[in-house]
């Protein structure tokens, strides 16, 4: 747990890592110092206007039909570890009361990532990257699919920070490429 400095009036959160070495991203929140009472339940957060960093149910693909629709579109971007399948939505589809503009699903097969800990880390990294780039993405449905084994050998440690960085970089590159494609096609970002 991070202790707030006492001299500052406003303390902007910054990226840091937790005790397991997992990146804890900053959501642009600030804690007001004069309202901080020492425990987390009394902290007051200010959200930047217009930005939503949550990952609610409306931002997820839920049903098999949703996933099938994305895979049937046969549009994908390939990365080092992940493939990003996407289905661009037309404005009338977005306005039809579907909820969120951008939705994401994850497919991490046991065949490629045997241990549940590794599968959960990969999913967490993808969700975190999506949450922070969602506002710059076009209206679409996305599916991140693990395409290649994330560990080079079974003896390789899962906690290796260079591997985590490589996985996150791959995910970020795919999302950036999707944004570039949408700009070229003239779709909303």
């Amino acid at each position: 747990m991070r202790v707030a400095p006492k001299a500052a009036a406003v303390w902007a959160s910054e990226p840091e890592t937790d005790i397991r070495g997992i990146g804890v991203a900053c959501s642009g929140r600030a804690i007001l110092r004069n309202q901080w009472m020492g425990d987390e339940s009394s902290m007051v957060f200010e959200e930047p206007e217009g930005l939503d960093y949550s990952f609610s149910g409306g931002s997820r693909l839920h049903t098999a039909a949703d996933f099938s629709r994305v895979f049937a579109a046969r549009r994908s971007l390939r990365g080092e570890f992940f493939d990003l399948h996407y289905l661009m939505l037309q404005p009338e589809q977005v306005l039809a009361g579907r909820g969120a503009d951008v939705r994401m699903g994850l497919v991490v097969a046991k065949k490629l990532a045997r241990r549940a800990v590794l599968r959960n880390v990969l999913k967490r990294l993808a969700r975190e990257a999506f949450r922070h780039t969602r506002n710059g993405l076009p209206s679409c449905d996305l599916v991140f699919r693990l395409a290649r084994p994330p560990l080079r050998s079974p003896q390789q440690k899962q906690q290796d920070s260079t591997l985590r960085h490589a996985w996150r970089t791959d995910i970020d590159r795919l999302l950036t490429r999707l944004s570039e494609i949408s700009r070229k096609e003239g779709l909303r970002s």
Side-chain angles (χ1 to χ4, degrees):
M1 186 172 130
R2 193 170 172 176
V3 178
K6 295 183 183 199
V10 175
W11 172 49
S13 60
E14 54 194 38
E16 61 185 31
T17 57
D18 68 1
I19 57 175
R20 295 170 296 191
I22 298 171
V24 178
C26 146
S27 67
R29 295 179 175 182
I31 299 173
L32 294 177
R33 185 67 47 242
N34 56 0
Q35 295 178 354
W36 188 68
M37 304 303 278
D39 63 333
E40 290 183 9
S41 62
S42 64
M43 290 184 190
V44 177
F45 293 101
E46 291 180 13
E47 285 288 340
E49 257 186 67
L51 295 180
D52 180 20
Y53 291 106
S54 66
F55 189 63
S56 61
S59 300
R60 299 180 184 148
L61 295 176
H62 291 282
T63 65
D66 291 339
F67 281 86
S68 295
R69 204 171 11 261
V70 174
F71 288 129
R74 303 194 46 90
R75 301 202 58 188
S76 66
L77 300 172
R78 298 198 185 281
E80 185 179 353
F81 300 104
F82 290 91
D83 289 347
L84 175 61
H85 299 269
Y86 62 96
L87 170 65
M88 295 291 186
L89 300 175
Q90 301 304 322
E92 58 272 6
Q93 291 173 311
V94 175
L95 296 176
R98 228 202 48 193
D101 287 356
V102 185
R103 298 187 307 167
M104 183 189 73
L106 295 161
V107 177
V108 181
K110 281 185 183 179
K111 183 177 182 180
L112 297 175
R114 296 292 301 172
R115 297 180 55 100
V117 171
L118 177 59
R119 290 193 303 273
N120 291 338
V121 166
L122 294 169
K123 290 177 191 177
R124 189 178 306 119
L125 289 172
R127 281 192 303 265
E128 193 69 17
F130 173 75
R131 282 185 337 102
H132 289 281
T133 58
R134 177 178 57 199
N135 293 318
L137 294 174
S139 296
C140 60
D141 287 342
L142 309 172
V143 174
F144 277 101
R145 184 178 62 85
L146 184 64
R148 285 159 269 308
L151 300 176
R152 310 275 193 278
S153 67
Q155 291 79 25
Q156 197 171 20
K157 292 183 80 171
Q158 296 172 13
Q159 301 298 330
D160 189 8
S161 63
T162 58
L163 272 176
R164 287 175 188 265
H165 182 69
W167 298 331
R168 177 65 190 258
T169 302
D170 187 38
I171 294 166
D172 288 335
R173 283 183 185 149
L174 289 170
L175 291 170
T176 303
R177 284 174 51 199
L178 179 65
S179 294
E180 291 169 358
I181 288 171
S182 70
R183 280 190 212 109
K184 287 179 184 175
E185 292 177 0
L187 297 173
R188 180 194 73 73
S189 291

